[in-house]
Amino acid sequence: LEERMALITVAQLHAIKQRRMLVRTVAAKGMYLAAAYAGVACGVSFGRWPFGPYNDSIREVEEYAAVRGWYTVQRGNRNEYAQGPTVDGALALLPAAFGTYTDALNRLMDTIALLDARQAEIVATLYAAWNDFRLAGKEPTEAEVFTEIREHWHPNKQKFQEDELRWWLGWMLDRLTARFMGADAGREHNWRMRRRALLRNAPKVVSRSLCYTVAVVLVFGVFGVPGLALSFATCAVLGAFGPGRLRALA
């Protein structure tokens, strides 16, 4: 148990390298996401704590790692982690410990490597709330996820405003649910949220016009007259809405 959890932190330290200090809050969120997202079996459950999903065995894990020289914890307000003298040996243990999950674990750690403590808390909490809905067999709406966090997790979560949660939800949906889908890999982190807002704000006449046009094209296409179908579709749109109205919408 301690070994697997300590090795998750070793992988996180390796991903962060010298770019940022790893603090306990971020390490704990890395452990949670390794289990919930990457599928790594940790053998522990993570509860809803004031600062996100957490398991309080982390101190025993820190002692286990320190004895082996993998990493140490500089006690203080932030509880910063530092690589130990035998960290390279610990890295070599990852494939044996996690098998086919090793690549997913390393990719996850690369993804969250630059998150600070607040950002890691938001992302892990969003994922936990969203994932709890999914485990219950429901695909939640954005509003349901935000309500779950702000009203049902802990009073401390009131500090997160909806705009901030919305931004990081877009980041999470891209990076932690569809990160390796080729069509999405190069997109900005919040493209889904912007696309959703665009569709919601588009005039109904535009969306209906598009739907009617596609429907007419498909119907005529069935009869083997695609060229004629396009002509009929164009005429149908112009006849229904008029050139002037279409120009006004352009």
mmCIF file of all heavy atoms in Angstrom, residues 37-64:
data_model
loop_
_atom_site.group_PDB
_atom_site.id
_atom_site.type_symbol
_atom_site.label_atom_id
_atom_site.label_comp_id
_atom_site.label_asym_id
_atom_site.label_seq_id
_atom_site.Cartn_x
_atom_site.Cartn_y
_atom_site.Cartn_z
ATOM 1 N N TYR A 37 -8.591 8.354 -12.173
ATOM 2 C CA TYR A 37 -8.498 8.605 -13.615
ATOM 3 C C TYR A 37 -7.610 7.590 -14.333
ATOM 4 O O TYR A 37 -8.021 6.989 -15.321
ATOM 5 C CB TYR A 37 -7.966 10.015 -13.867
ATOM 6 C CG TYR A 37 -7.547 10.252 -15.297
ATOM 7 C CD1 TYR A 37 -8.503 10.335 -16.312
ATOM 8 C CD2 TYR A 37 -6.203 10.355 -15.639
ATOM 9 C CE1 TYR A 37 -8.120 10.520 -17.627
ATOM 10 C CE2 TYR A 37 -5.821 10.538 -16.956
ATOM 11 C CZ TYR A 37 -6.780 10.627 -17.950
ATOM 12 O OH TYR A 37 -6.398 10.810 -19.247
ATOM 13 N N ALA A 38 -6.387 7.397 -13.835
ATOM 14 C CA ALA A 38 -5.443 6.512 -14.525
ATOM 15 C C ALA A 38 -5.700 5.040 -14.237
ATOM 16 O O ALA A 38 -5.155 4.172 -14.908
ATOM 17 C CB ALA A 38 -4.007 6.880 -14.145
ATOM 18 N N GLY A 39 -6.516 4.744 -13.223
ATOM 19 C CA GLY A 39 -6.863 3.358 -12.937
ATOM 20 C C GLY A 39 -5.866 2.607 -12.088
ATOM 21 O O GLY A 39 -5.926 1.373 -11.986
ATOM 22 N N VAL A 40 -4.925 3.331 -11.455
ATOM 23 C CA VAL A 40 -3.922 2.684 -10.611
ATOM 24 C C VAL A 40 -4.576 2.225 -9.306
ATOM 25 O O VAL A 40 -5.261 3.000 -8.634
ATOM 26 C CB VAL A 40 -2.773 3.655 -10.302
ATOM 27 C CG1 VAL A 40 -1.816 3.050 -9.286
ATOM 28 C CG2 VAL A 40 -2.027 4.017 -11.590
ATOM 29 N N ALA A 41 -4.376 0.986 -8.954
ATOM 30 C CA ALA A 41 -4.936 0.449 -7.717
ATOM 31 C C ALA A 41 -4.089 0.892 -6.531
ATOM 32 O O ALA A 41 -2.945 0.466 -6.391
ATOM 33 C CB ALA A 41 -5.006 -1.072 -7.789
ATOM 34 N N CYS A 42 -4.656 1.743 -5.688
ATOM 35 C CA CYS A 42 -3.937 2.234 -4.501
ATOM 36 C C CYS A 42 -4.295 1.465 -3.244
ATOM 37 O O CYS A 42 -3.548 1.479 -2.270
ATOM 38 C CB CYS A 42 -4.241 3.720 -4.287
ATOM 39 S SG CYS A 42 -3.572 4.794 -5.563
ATOM 40 N N GLY A 43 -5.443 0.819 -3.241
ATOM 41 C CA GLY A 43 -5.865 0.070 -2.070
ATOM 42 C C GLY A 43 -6.469 0.910 -0.968
ATOM 43 O O GLY A 43 -6.666 0.420 0.141
ATOM 44 N N VAL A 44 -6.751 2.189 -1.260
ATOM 45 C CA VAL A 44 -7.371 3.061 -0.263
ATOM 46 C C VAL A 44 -8.499 3.839 -0.939
ATOM 47 O O VAL A 44 -8.561 3.935 -2.167
ATOM 48 C CB VAL A 44 -6.353 4.061 0.340
ATOM 49 C CG1 VAL A 44 -5.242 3.332 1.051
ATOM 50 C CG2 VAL A 44 -5.805 4.993 -0.729
ATOM 51 N N SER A 45 -9.379 4.374 -0.133
ATOM 52 C CA SER A 45 -10.453 5.226 -0.654
ATOM 53 C C SER A 45 -10.135 6.679 -0.316
ATOM 54 O O SER A 45 -9.412 6.962 0.644
ATOM 55 C CB SER A 45 -11.801 4.825 -0.058
ATOM 56 O OG SER A 45 -11.778 4.945 1.348
ATOM 57 N N PHE A 46 -10.676 7.573 -1.099
ATOM 58 C CA PHE A 46 -10.450 8.999 -0.905
ATOM 59 C C PHE A 46 -11.762 9.672 -0.539
ATOM 60 O O PHE A 46 -12.746 9.577 -1.281
ATOM 61 C CB PHE A 46 -9.868 9.622 -2.175
ATOM 62 C CG PHE A 46 -8.486 9.128 -2.509
ATOM 63 C CD1 PHE A 46 -8.305 7.922 -3.184
ATOM 64 C CD2 PHE A 46 -7.367 9.864 -2.139
ATOM 65 C CE1 PHE A 46 -7.034 7.463 -3.484
ATOM 66 C CE2 PHE A 46 -6.089 9.410 -2.431
ATOM 67 C CZ PHE A 46 -5.925 8.201 -3.107
ATOM 68 N N GLY A 47 -11.752 10.335 0.627
ATOM 69 C CA GLY A 47 -12.954 10.988 1.101
ATOM 70 C C GLY A 47 -13.028 12.443 0.671
ATOM 71 O O GLY A 47 -12.093 12.997 0.086
ATOM 72 N N ARG A 48 -14.166 13.064 0.980
ATOM 73 C CA ARG A 48 -14.378 14.472 0.647
ATOM 74 C C ARG A 48 -13.890 15.344 1.808
ATOM 75 O O ARG A 48 -14.602 15.562 2.784
ATOM 76 C CB ARG A 48 -15.859 14.736 0.362
ATOM 77 C CG ARG A 48 -16.353 14.071 -0.912
ATOM 78 C CD ARG A 48 -17.748 14.534 -1.271
ATOM 79 N NE ARG A 48 -18.132 14.090 -2.600
ATOM 80 C CZ ARG A 48 -19.202 14.524 -3.255
ATOM 81 N NH1 ARG A 48 -20.006 15.412 -2.684
ATOM 82 N NH2 ARG A 48 -19.477 14.074 -4.466
ATOM 83 N N TRP A 49 -12.696 15.831 1.677
ATOM 84 C CA TRP A 49 -12.087 16.683 2.690
ATOM 85 C C TRP A 49 -12.216 18.151 2.281
ATOM 86 O O TRP A 49 -12.543 18.451 1.125
ATOM 87 C CB TRP A 49 -10.620 16.291 2.876
ATOM 88 C CG TRP A 49 -10.434 14.985 3.621
ATOM 89 C CD1 TRP A 49 -10.928 13.763 3.253
ATOM 90 C CD2 TRP A 49 -9.734 14.784 4.840
ATOM 91 N NE1 TRP A 49 -10.564 12.809 4.165
ATOM 92 C CE2 TRP A 49 -9.825 13.405 5.158
ATOM 93 C CE3 TRP A 49 -9.018 15.613 5.699
ATOM 94 C CZ2 TRP A 49 -9.248 12.853 6.299
ATOM 95 C CZ3 TRP A 49 -8.425 15.050 6.823
ATOM 96 C CH2 TRP A 49 -8.544 13.699 7.123
ATOM 97 N N PRO A 50 -11.963 19.077 3.201
ATOM 98 C CA PRO A 50 -12.121 20.504 2.880
ATOM 99 C C PRO A 50 -11.329 20.959 1.657
ATOM 100 O O PRO A 50 -11.785 21.854 0.933
ATOM 101 C CB PRO A 50 -11.631 21.209 4.151
ATOM 102 C CG PRO A 50 -11.894 20.229 5.245
ATOM 103 C CD PRO A 50 -11.647 18.880 4.633
ATOM 104 N N PHE A 51 -10.158 20.351 1.415
ATOM 105 C CA PHE A 51 -9.340 20.779 0.287
ATOM 106 C C PHE A 51 -9.335 19.761 -0.850
ATOM 107 O O PHE A 51 -8.369 19.640 -1.580
ATOM 108 C CB PHE A 51 -7.914 21.069 0.764
ATOM 109 C CG PHE A 51 -7.838 22.249 1.685
ATOM 110 C CD1 PHE A 51 -7.826 22.072 3.058
ATOM 111 C CD2 PHE A 51 -7.837 23.538 1.177
ATOM 112 C CE1 PHE A 51 -7.790 23.163 3.914
ATOM 113 C CE2 PHE A 51 -7.801 24.639 2.023
ATOM 114 C CZ PHE A 51 -7.781 24.450 3.390
ATOM 115 N N GLY A 52 -10.450 19.043 -0.983
ATOM 116 C CA GLY A 52 -10.595 18.117 -2.101
ATOM 117 C C GLY A 52 -10.485 16.664 -1.674
ATOM 118 O O GLY A 52 -10.401 16.347 -0.481
ATOM 119 N N PRO A 53 -10.484 15.745 -2.640
ATOM 120 C CA PRO A 53 -10.366 14.314 -2.310
ATOM 121 C C PRO A 53 -9.023 14.025 -1.634
ATOM 122 O O PRO A 53 -7.985 14.510 -2.072
ATOM 123 C CB PRO A 53 -10.471 13.637 -3.686
ATOM 124 C CG PRO A 53 -10.138 14.700 -4.678
ATOM 125 C CD PRO A 53 -10.581 15.983 -4.089
ATOM 126 N N TYR A 54 -9.084 13.209 -0.575
ATOM 127 C CA TYR A 54 -7.884 13.045 0.251
ATOM 128 C C TYR A 54 -7.982 11.749 1.038
ATOM 129 O O TYR A 54 -9.072 11.283 1.396
ATOM 130 C CB TYR A 54 -7.783 14.240 1.208
ATOM 131 C CG TYR A 54 -6.567 14.262 2.101
ATOM 132 C CD1 TYR A 54 -5.318 14.636 1.614
ATOM 133 C CD2 TYR A 54 -6.663 13.927 3.454
ATOM 134 C CE1 TYR A 54 -4.199 14.686 2.436
ATOM 135 C CE2 TYR A 54 -5.553 13.966 4.291
ATOM 136 C CZ TYR A 54 -4.329 14.348 3.777
ATOM 137 O OH TYR A 54 -3.226 14.387 4.597
ATOM 138 N N ASN A 55 -6.815 11.149 1.308
ATOM 139 C CA ASN A 55 -6.718 10.012 2.217
ATOM 140 C C ASN A 55 -5.633 10.321 3.237
ATOM 141 O O ASN A 55 -4.507 10.677 2.870
ATOM 142 C CB ASN A 55 -6.380 8.730 1.442
ATOM 143 C CG ASN A 55 -6.314 7.510 2.345
ATOM 144 O OD1 ASN A 55 -5.315 7.301 3.030
ATOM 145 N ND2 ASN A 55 -7.373 6.720 2.362
ATOM 146 N N ASP A 56 -5.960 10.205 4.509
ATOM 147 C CA ASP A 56 -5.039 10.672 5.550
ATOM 148 C C ASP A 56 -3.893 9.712 5.851
ATOM 149 O O ASP A 56 -3.116 9.935 6.781
ATOM 150 C CB ASP A 56 -5.796 10.999 6.844
ATOM 151 C CG ASP A 56 -6.517 9.804 7.431
ATOM 152 O OD1 ASP A 56 -6.449 8.715 6.827
ATOM 153 O OD2 ASP A 56 -7.166 9.959 8.481
ATOM 154 N N SER A 57 -3.746 8.664 5.038
ATOM 155 C CA SER A 57 -2.579 7.787 5.204
ATOM 156 C C SER A 57 -1.334 8.377 4.550
ATOM 157 O O SER A 57 -0.267 7.754 4.590
ATOM 158 C CB SER A 57 -2.860 6.407 4.592
ATOM 159 O OG SER A 57 -3.023 6.502 3.188
ATOM 160 N N ILE A 58 -1.447 9.575 4.000
ATOM 161 C CA ILE A 58 -0.332 10.150 3.249
ATOM 162 C C ILE A 58 0.901 10.366 4.126
ATOM 163 O O ILE A 58 2.036 10.275 3.653
ATOM 164 C CB ILE A 58 -0.764 11.471 2.563
ATOM 165 C CG1 ILE A 58 0.286 11.895 1.527
ATOM 166 C CG2 ILE A 58 -1.026 12.570 3.580
ATOM 167 C CD1 ILE A 58 -0.184 13.013 0.620
ATOM 168 N N ARG A 59 0.713 10.619 5.413
ATOM 169 C CA ARG A 59 1.869 10.823 6.293
ATOM 170 C C ARG A 59 2.663 9.530 6.467
ATOM 171 O O ARG A 59 3.895 9.559 6.522
ATOM 172 C CB ARG A 59 1.405 11.380 7.638
ATOM 173 C CG ARG A 59 0.924 12.830 7.548
ATOM 174 C CD ARG A 59 0.319 13.303 8.847
ATOM 175 N NE ARG A 59 -0.024 14.711 8.797
ATOM 176 C CZ ARG A 59 -1.119 15.188 8.204
ATOM 177 N NH1 ARG A 59 -1.974 14.353 7.620
ATOM 178 N NH2 ARG A 59 -1.369 16.486 8.203
ATOM 179 N N GLU A 60 1.974 8.407 6.571
ATOM 180 C CA GLU A 60 2.680 7.124 6.640
ATOM 181 C C GLU A 60 3.430 6.857 5.334
ATOM 182 O O GLU A 60 4.536 6.293 5.334
ATOM 183 C CB GLU A 60 1.692 5.990 6.916
ATOM 184 C CG GLU A 60 1.160 5.938 8.334
ATOM 185 C CD GLU A 60 0.079 6.975 8.607
ATOM 186 O OE1 GLU A 60 -0.425 7.565 7.618
ATOM 187 O OE2 GLU A 60 -0.256 7.193 9.780
ATOM 188 N N VAL A 61 2.828 7.267 4.217
ATOM 189 C CA VAL A 61 3.487 7.106 2.920
ATOM 190 C C VAL A 61 4.756 7.950 2.864
ATOM 191 O O VAL A 61 5.802 7.502 2.365
ATOM 192 C CB VAL A 61 2.522 7.503 1.782
ATOM 193 C CG1 VAL A 61 3.232 7.472 0.434
ATOM 194 C CG2 VAL A 61 1.311 6.576 1.765
ATOM 195 N N GLU A 62 4.691 9.167 3.379
ATOM 196 C CA GLU A 62 5.869 10.037 3.407
ATOM 197 C C GLU A 62 6.998 9.411 4.222
ATOM 198 O O GLU A 62 8.175 9.463 3.828
ATOM 199 C CB GLU A 62 5.488 11.395 3.978
ATOM 200 C CG GLU A 62 4.553 12.203 3.083
ATOM 201 C CD GLU A 62 3.961 13.408 3.782
ATOM 202 O OE1 GLU A 62 4.165 13.560 5.001
ATOM 203 O OE2 GLU A 62 3.264 14.196 3.105
ATOM 204 N N GLU A 63 6.662 8.810 5.355
ATOM 205 C CA GLU A 63 7.683 8.165 6.180
ATOM 206 C C GLU A 63 8.281 6.963 5.457
ATOM 207 O O GLU A 63 9.503 6.734 5.515
ATOM 208 C CB GLU A 63 7.059 7.738 7.510
ATOM 209 C CG GLU A 63 6.625 8.916 8.399
ATOM 210 C CD GLU A 63 5.909 8.450 9.646
ATOM 211 O OE1 GLU A 63 5.781 7.216 9.840
ATOM 212 O OE2 GLU A 63 5.464 9.317 10.430
ATOM 213 N N TYR A 64 7.440 6.199 4.782
ATOM 214 C CA TYR A 64 7.910 5.040 4.026
ATOM 215 C C TYR A 64 8.925 5.475 2.966
ATOM 216 O O TYR A 64 9.987 4.857 2.805
ATOM 217 C CB TYR A 64 6.703 4.355 3.368
ATOM 218 C CG TYR A 64 7.031 3.129 2.556
ATOM 219 C CD1 TYR A 64 6.973 1.862 3.122
ATOM 220 C CD2 TYR A 64 7.371 3.236 1.204
ATOM 221 C CE1 TYR A 64 7.266 0.732 2.368
ATOM 222 C CE2 TYR A 64 7.664 2.109 0.448
ATOM 223 C CZ TYR A 64 7.606 0.858 1.035
ATOM 224 O OH TYR A 64 7.899 -0.256 0.292
#
